[in-house]
Amino acid sequence: MSNYNINSSEDYKRIYDESVNHPEKFWNDLAKDNFKWQKHWDSVLNWDFKKPEIRWFEGAQLNITENCLDRHLINKAQKTAIIFEPNNPKEKSEHITYESLFHRVNKMANVLKSKGVKKGDRVCIYLPMIPELAISVLACARIGAVHSVVFAGFSAIALSTRINDCNCKIVLTSDGSFRGNKILDLKKIVDTALKDCPQVSSVLVVERTKTKIHLEKGRDYLIESLLNEASQDCPIEVMDSEDPLFVLYTSGSTGKPKGMVHSSAGYMVGSAYTFKNIFQYKDEDIYWCTADIGWITGHSYIVYGPLLNGATTLMFEGVPSYPDYGRFWEIVEKHKVNQFYTAPTAIRTLAKESIDLVNKHDLSSLKVLGSVGEPINEEAWKWYNINIGKNKCPIVDTWWQTETGSIMISSIPNVIESKPTYATLPFIGIQPVLMDENGNEILENDAEGRLCIKYPWPSMARTIWGDHKRYKETYFSSFDNKYFTGDGSYRDNKGLFRITGRVDDVIIVSGHNLGTAPIEDAINEHNLVAESAIIGVPHDIKGNSLFGYITLKEASSASLGESLKKEINQLISKQIGPIAKLDHIEFVSGLPKTRSGKIMRRILRKIANNEIDNLGDTSTLLNPEIVDEIISKVLH
Ligand code: PRX
């Protein structure tokens, strides 16, 4: 039991050493003592990164919702599990107790069953940040269905691609979604998406915005009456440790999103253990993560991590700017939030607004602040520390990924000191290493390299849905016997890690992971476009913004100027969603290419960033003359 709570730097050192020196014993004891199992495992870990094959707690049986819900009914039935804060501050917030959540999850589970959902089936959840989103996630888990939550800001095409990739037959959605003073017609987007998804047999609709919707007879159902009629009891489906719990899509360096598959047992252990310690959650605390459940942060640190620990987790439906830019701080004051977890892009946005919007709220309940999704720059870190934390709240800069399932490198309040812009030290059981370009491990400190992990951890994704080969190629082929993160990192002379950013074709915009390939594919669909290359340039608020170099089939089309740029951005919105729109578009007559035809993004990146004195070797280019033309266009 003792290893579950890390309370001092001595604890950290001792437990970390145990976890890497005797990992199987360590995880065996931790998992055995802190979770409810239907059956104990036969072996703690079987792994082979070459195949790759990773199995934790093989032979064990469990249901994660028994750990999130049932076991808390003994002592915490009347404790608030979820606080729902609506988009509009005039609407009342809702406190859902563990007992009530348990019943609501069971009802939802029974509705899913009545629509034929069985263990192993995939269910697509396309809902706004309302309680039904968390409830349907848990309902799937209860009956052993694999949930695939799609962020409700994605376009119809992005949605249908994801529904089809893992062959979902059921979709959960709402009539609409409130976003500040706007309403997004989610059901309409689903209707469009489903034209390409003939296998979907049922659509269950939550009424949230009361907007008029079309209900397809025999396929679409308003969920409320079904929930009212359903029983509030639903037995758990007993799951094997390695049965998939969920699929969650993330971008990669090809146009096809990767459906990362997470396991039942390992994910449970990892998300629970990290939540408890990295946020130093204490029993009466109110914890708030501002992410959307459509991303991994919401899966692990709004739903599973907190509920596994019997915590109170706040879900916010709205946006930080509505009705004004003080909304986050108003919520912190209203609900006396103790742990607050957000993204650097939100911090930078709010730091630009009047400080009065912060200072008029009482933030004295705050104990811990968190950051996730991209490197946090020093200025934003300091603003957060001084104005929100009042210099008394440790900031945990948590580095991790959709693929890792839970936090991998982070400071721990009062255990591992924070350092601005540094994620600092690996969490228990995590063995990060830096690799050089020749595939050798960099052993010294004060060095930079590619960040890899050399030993399995329980919450790591096990495969990519339907494409194990791609899983192997993406994560296990760059470096021998190691998981490659795709990130670069610096390690200082004390061994602290500072994540420097992606080293592949993924750009993090406002904390969202965007692959260049799907955006380029979308642009190339325009009938006037010949070719495109997207790069990221630093942006004050978004971290990075997207800069597109586009060549046209006929140079004269460039005279269409702004209207063509608008059409291109509309295409991107349609294919992916508004988050992937380009801030800057430059029409050029060619792209710099190597003799093998590969676009030299390095050069394009430097030009966009006005670093033309240092373009590096351009002699290997097939078309070196294009570089001057691009420079003169971009830099006038
Ligand atoms: O580049 C890293 C960046 O976000 C990537 C993972 O994105 P995603 O799978 O969408 O998950 C985001 C939430 C966990 C990483 O490869 N990233 C995430 N957290 C940090 C970060 N970069 C620097 N510092 C962080 N704290």
Side-chain angles (χ1 to χ4, degrees):
M1 192 75 191
S2 65
N3 283 349
Y4 194 71
N5 296 325
I6 310 164
N7 293 320
S8 64
S9 60
E10 292 73 34
D11 279 357
Y12 169 76
K13 282 194 199 93
R14 174 182 59 78
I15 302 172
Y16 184 80
D17 286 350
E18 265 182 63
S19 75
V20 299
N21 294 334
H22 309 285
E24 295 197 22
K25 176 170 188 332
F26 171 79
W27 289 111
N28 178 74
D29 296 351
L30 191 96
K32 179 166 60 70
D33 294 343
N34 295 286
F35 300 89
K36 178 132 181 30
W37 301 91
Q38 290 287 322
K39 178 173 170 284
H40 194 76
W41 43 92
D42 305 319
S43 57
V44 179
L45 171 64
N46 292 296
W47 69 291
D48 180 351
F49 274 179
K50 291 205 178 348
K51 282 187 176 163
E53 213 172 76
I54 301 112
R55 296 190 302 275
W56 282 92
F57 311 113
E58 207 169 9
Q61 291 188 320
L62 75 154
N63 187 289
I64 195 169
T65 69
E66 186 177 27
N67 284 273
C68 289
L69 301 170
D70 307 54
R71 68 169 165 157
H72 303 313
L73 297 181
I74 305 163
N75 296 322
K76 293 184 176 164
Q78 298 315 315
K79 178 175 174 173
T80 301
I82 296 179
I83 300 175
F84 170 61
E85 176 62 31
N87 174 63
N88 186 340
K90 296 204 180 99
E91 194 183 323
K92 264 182 78 177
S93 50
E94 189 184 342
H95 286 65
I96 305 171
T97 63
Y98 270 92
E99 185 177 56
S100 157
L101 182 63
F102 173 70
H103 290 143
R104 288 174 71 173
V105 168
N106 286 341
K107 278 173 170 281
M108 183 70 86
N110 285 323
V111 169
L112 291 173
K113 275 186 175 172
S114 75
K115 293 293 166 216
V117 179
K118 290 192 222 38
K119 178 177 176 176
D121 289 349
R122 276 78 59 207
V123 173
C124 174
I125 304 176
Y126 186 70
L127 278 169
M129 281 286 287
I130 54 177
E132 286 78 2
L133 172 50
I135 289 167
S136 44
V137 160
L138 294 163
C140 287
R142 190 145 189 101
I143 61 173
V146 178
H147 55 79
S148 168
V149 183
V150 178
F151 172 60
F154 273 125
S155 70
I157 294 174
L159 175 61
S160 64
T161 308
R162 286 159 178 76
I163 290 174
N164 287 336
D165 184 73
C166 64
N167 195 18
C168 298
K169 300 209 172 64
I170 309 276
V171 178
L172 276 143
T173 190
S174 65
D175 47 1
S177 140
F178 290 120
R179 303 286 294 163
N181 53 17
K182 290 199 211 92
I183 290 181
L184 202 68
D185 290 331
L186 291 190
K187 177 61 168 62
K188 249 193 209 145
I189 298 173
V190 170
D191 290 341
T192 310
L194 293 194
K195 287 186 185 140
D196 295 326
C197 312
Q199 80 281 14
V200 170
S201 54
S202 306
V203 179
L204 301 171
V205 185
V206 179
E207 285 178 286
R208 173 61 184 143
T209 53
K210 307 282 180 206
T211 20
K212 220 173 144 230
I213 53 170
H214 163 76
L215 287 179
E216 182 93 14
K217 210 157 176 249
R219 189 195 68 183
D220 301 352
Y221 304 88
L222 295 177
I223 208 167
E224 197 178 334
S225 55
L226 300 176
L227 287 170
N228 288 340
E229 286 159 19
S231 158
Q232 60 174 27
D233 294 310
C234 177
I236 56 163
E237 183 75 40
V238 176
M239 306 297 286
D240 289 338
S241 54
E242 286 294 317
D243 279 341
L245 174 64
F246 65 86
V247 175
L248 185 61
Y249 286 88
T250 186
S251 331
S253 43
T254 79
K256 200 166 174 253
K258 299 176 289 194
M260 304 312 307
V261 179
H262 280 282
S263 70
S264 297
Y267 176 81
M268 171 175 78
V269 171
S271 59
Y273 189 35
T274 47
F275 171 79
K276 170 72 187 165
N277 288 293
I278 290 167
F279 299 103
Q280 288 286 304
Y281 183 84
K282 303 283 180 287
D283 220 21
E284 298 310 314
D285 288 347
I286 310 288
Y287 160 88
W288 180 22
C289 165
T290 70
D292 192 289
I293 295 175
W295 310 114
I296 191 68
T297 309
H299 280 59
S300 302
Y301 300 111
I302 296 178
V303 182
Y304 288 114
L307 298 179
L308 285 164
N309 284 284
T312 300
T313 175
L314 193 150
M315 269 181 84
F316 175 43
E317 182 184 30
V319 293
S321 54
Y322 175 81
D324 64 37
Y325 282 93
R327 183 73 164 123
F328 273 6
W329 320 127
E330 182 205 331
I331 296 173
V332 168
E333 178 177 17
K334 176 173 172 189
H335 295 291
K336 303 203 166 35
V337 171
N338 303 110
Q339 289 91 357
F340 177 75
Y341 190 28
T342 195
T345 183
I347 300 167
R348 289 190 295 262
T349 303
L350 298 173
K352 285 239 178 322
E353 302 300 322
S354 160
I355 198 69
D356 297 345
L357 290 168
V358 176
N359 290 342
K360 73 178 191 196
H361 296 290
D362 175 5
L363 305 183
S364 60
S365 58
L366 289 172
K367 297 195 288 192
V368 176
L369 301 177
S371 169
V372 62
E374 59 181 306
I376 178 167
N377 51 308
E378 190 146 1
E379 201 185 340
W381 194 99
K382 286 191 169 146
W383 183 89
Y384 200 27
N385 184 41
I386 296 169
N387 297 294
I388 307 305
K390 317 289 181 199
N391 284 311
K392 69 170 180 62
C393 301
I395 296 180
V396 290
D397 178 357
T398 62
W399 174 83
W400 60 298
Q401 310 177 296
T402 305
E403 295 85 339
T404 68
S406 59
I407 296 169
M408 302 288 280
I409 304 183
S410 174
S411 56
I412 302 179
N414 311 317
V415 173
I416 302 172
E417 209 182 325
S418 0
K419 176 172 175 180
T421 77
Y422 280 72
T424 72
L425 290 174
F427 189 68
I428 306 302
I430 307 303
Q431 301 189 43
V433 287
L434 298 183
M435 305 296 291
D436 69 19
E437 290 193 3
N438 302 319
N440 299 316
E441 186 176 336
I442 304 172
L443 296 170
E444 63 272 19
N445 282 341
D446 187 16
E448 192 165 344
R450 283 153 197 248
L451 181 63
C452 291
I453 315 289
K454 69 174 181 190
Y455 195 84
W457 61 101
S459 70
M460 67 192 295
R462 300 296 195 259
T463 188
I464 292 175
W465 186 270
D467 202 346
H468 199 65
K469 189 164 155 268
R470 188 173 178 201
Y471 175 69
K472 177 176 175 167
E473 276 164 11
T474 312
Y475 305 107
F476 297 93
S477 302
S478 306
F479 298 96
D480 191 32
N481 226 7
K482 295 187 180 59
Y483 167 85
F484 175 44
T485 65
D487 282 334
S489 176
Y490 167 71
R491 189 172 52 210
D492 77 1
N493 53 17
K494 292 198 176 111
L496 304 180
F497 288 86
R498 175 179 199 261
I499 310 303
T500 48
R502 301 292 309 181
V503 293
D504 58 9
D505 293 337
V506 172
I507 304 172
I508 313 265
V509 178
S510 300
H512 301 310
N513 197 327
L514 300 174
T516 54
I519 304 174
E520 288 161 7
D521 289 350
I523 298 171
N524 298 350
E525 286 211 355
H526 195 289
N527 58 7
L528 298 178
V529 170
E531 231 185 348
S532 57
I534 302 300
I535 56 136
V537 290
H539 184 278
D540 273 0
I541 290 180
K542 299 197 264 191
N544 291 294
S545 67
L546 298 176
F547 187 122
Y549 292 92
I550 297 178
T551 63
L552 298 168
K553 288 182 181 151
E554 286 175 30
S556 58
S557 316
S559 62
L560 295 168
E562 289 309 311
S563 68
L564 183 53
K565 290 181 183 173
K566 208 166 149 199
E567 280 175 30
I568 288 170
N569 265 329
Q570 278 165 351
L571 255 179
I572 297 172
S573 280
K574 186 165 159 236
Q575 297 277 344
I576 302 165
I579 47 175
K581 277 186 180 173
L582 307 184
D583 276 7
H584 191 104
I585 294 177
E586 201 65 59
F587 296 120
V588 292
S589 71
L591 298 170
K593 290 194 181 163
T594 62
R595 282 173 211 283
S596 59
K598 208 166 176 274
I599 297 171
M600 274 250 220
R601 288 169 198 276
R602 175 174 58 82
I603 293 179
L604 294 173
R605 207 171 291 127
K606 290 204 160 156
I607 298 174
N609 287 302
N610 200 359
E611 289 169 8
I612 52 170
D613 296 340
N614 179 23
L615 280 185
D617 185 10
T618 55
S619 64
T620 57
L621 285 179
L622 193 64
N623 51 349
E625 70 289 347
I626 203 72
V627 174
D628 285 337
E629 181 205 306
I630 299 178
I631 290 176
S632 72
K633 275 231 159 111
V634 174
L635 305 176
H636 307 296

